[in-house]
Amino acid sequence: MTYMLWNPIRELDTLRRQLEREVDRVFEGYRSEGPLPTPWGRSLGRYPLLNLSEDKDNIYVEVLAPGVGPESLEITVVNDTLRIAGEKQPLTGIKPEQFHRSERESGKFARTITLPVRVDGDSVKADYKNGLLLITLPKAPEAKPKQITVNVN
Amino acid sequence: MSRETTMPTQREERGVTGTREEAQTMTPAVDIFEIEDGLAVVADMPGVEKDAVDVRVENDVLTISGKAVSKECGDSLYREFGLTHYFRQFQLNSHVDQEKIKAEMKYGVLTIQLPTAEKAKPKKITVNIS
């Protein structure tokens, strides 16, 4: 015979997991208008942060990557998956006791996202300026909107 | 480096009219460390042009500000960051030689060198043994 004892630790753990699921659900597919109060406001541990936009012909991915040497950036596209990898160089030659503040993070990073449409992987462009990386991904011909002419009889 | 503000509190005192746009500012992440002849401040400010960054020291307060510009085009599908003004102030506790402040902007990272004024530098005192 087994006794089901009330275990407050287990109860808390269950609650925590429920809350995490709820938070994940709320933030999934979150759409926002206008600027956010901080560039790191909704990071939730994701790095680098990015914005996604589109027009008729292209998908644009803007990536926040200050201090990332353009030569360290690796951008790859496979089908509808975009991978951005690189390294933010740490400050060198400074001893820990010299620091008053150390808030900037550094190191290698990689992030993979799924694009909303198929893109033409051969003609992807990437520009790095002022710590912002702008990737322009032309949509695959089958993903572009087709204009249909209405015939009037 | 005892006190800092992340909102533009001194703007009005300086006679700079506040705008609605500046009401919402971003706080850049910084590293501050001692160098041979003073302090160095390194701040992440992605999206700020070299000419759009403003670094000043007034009454021992270091102010870093700059307007970030997004190159985003098309219709937004998904957003994780927004770019507005960066603003951050630090109270300096040593006398900074304002003439020798150097600031450099590279890859969206601002590096400022704040050399200590000659009069505030430590003087070496030789102990005489008699």
Side-chain angles (χ1 to χ4, degrees):
Chain A
M1 190 175 172
T2 52
Y3 293 93
M4 289 300 286
L5 291 173
W6 182 69
N7 184 341
I9 303 295
R10 199 171 53 209
E11 286 283 299
L12 274 175
D13 202 47
T14 312
L15 266 176
R16 184 181 60 82
R17 257 178 281 138
Q18 271 175 2
L19 188 69
E20 272 175 7
R21 265 203 303 276
E22 281 299 301
V23 169
D24 282 350
R25 197 178 59 77
V26 166
F27 282 98
E28 191 183 343
Y30 195 89
R31 301 286 188 278
S32 150
E33 296 301 322
L36 303 172
T38 71
W40 306 277
R42 201 171 286 141
S43 69
L44 297 172
R46 288 175 294 198
Y47 191 91
L49 292 187
L50 49 87
N51 283 348
L52 207 65
S53 59
E54 68 163 353
D55 61 17
K56 196 160 62 69
D57 302 315
N58 300 300
I59 292 281
Y60 302 98
V61 181
E62 195 177 32
V63 186
L64 209 57
V68 179
E71 64 285 347
S72 83
L73 282 166
E74 268 175 51
I75 297 152
T76 45
V77 179
V78 178
N79 297 327
D80 61 349
T81 306
L82 170 71
R83 184 175 184 272
I84 305 154
E87 185 174 9
K88 186 172 175 182
Q89 292 290 341
L91 293 166
T92 47
I94 298 145
K95 295 190 214 77
E97 61 265 32
Q98 282 173 273
F99 275 100
H100 287 263
R101 257 164 220 270
S102 181
E103 299 170 351
R104 297 167 66 246
E105 289 174 340
S106 59
K108 286 188 176 165
F109 61 83
R111 186 166 177 196
T112 307
I113 62 159
T114 305
L115 299 164
V117 295
R118 292 280 292 234
V119 294
D120 176 8
D122 292 327
S123 39
V124 172
K125 276 192 301 174
D127 297 291
Y128 184 84
K129 200 185 174 201
N130 298 329
L132 285 179
L133 171 69
L134 182 70
I135 309 170
T136 309
L137 306 119
K139 290 183 183 175
E142 68 267 22
K144 284 186 188 171
K146 303 268 183 308
Q147 181 82 42
I148 291 135
T149 323
V150 178
N151 292 312
V152 183
N153 288 324
Chain B
M1 290 295 157
S2 52
R3 189 178 65 89
E4 68 160 282
T5 48
T6 53
M7 291 298 286
T9 49
Q10 296 205 334
R11 296 244 124 183
E12 280 159 51
E13 287 170 35
R14 256 193 261 128
V16 180
T17 45
T19 63
R20 189 183 288 258
E21 200 175 13
E22 284 195 329
Q24 201 179 41
T25 57
M26 301 181 288
T27 308
V30 298
D31 283 351
I32 299 170
F33 49 91
E34 279 171 37
I35 48 175
E36 204 171 315
D37 58 348
L39 278 173
V41 179
V42 180
D44 280 345
M45 296 169 81
V48 180
E49 288 276 349
K50 195 166 77 91
D51 303 327
V53 67
D54 185 31
V55 178
R56 59 180 74 197
V57 177
E58 274 172 315
N59 305 326
D60 283 345
V61 176
L62 168 70
T63 307
I64 302 166
S65 58
K67 170 109 177 77
V69 181
S70 168
K71 290 188 294 180
E72 205 176 9
C73 28
D75 302 321
S76 181
L77 291 172
Y78 170 72
R79 290 169 70 83
E80 286 178 352
F81 66 89
L83 294 173
T84 58
H85 272 89
Y86 289 98
F87 184 90
R88 201 160 176 184
Q89 287 185 320
F90 295 96
Q91 175 81 50
L92 304 172
N93 58 12
S94 58
H95 297 281
V96 171
D97 190 340
Q98 295 211 26
E99 300 298 311
K100 290 186 187 158
I101 295 174
K102 272 187 276 183
E104 193 198 351
M105 198 74 184
K106 195 189 179 192
Y107 298 157
V109 178
L110 172 69
T111 306
I112 311 165
Q113 286 179 32
L114 302 156
T116 314
E118 285 299 328
K119 63 175 187 323
K121 277 189 183 166
K123 305 266 184 306
K124 189 171 167 65
I125 294 139
T126 320
V127 179
N128 295 312
I129 304 164
S130 53

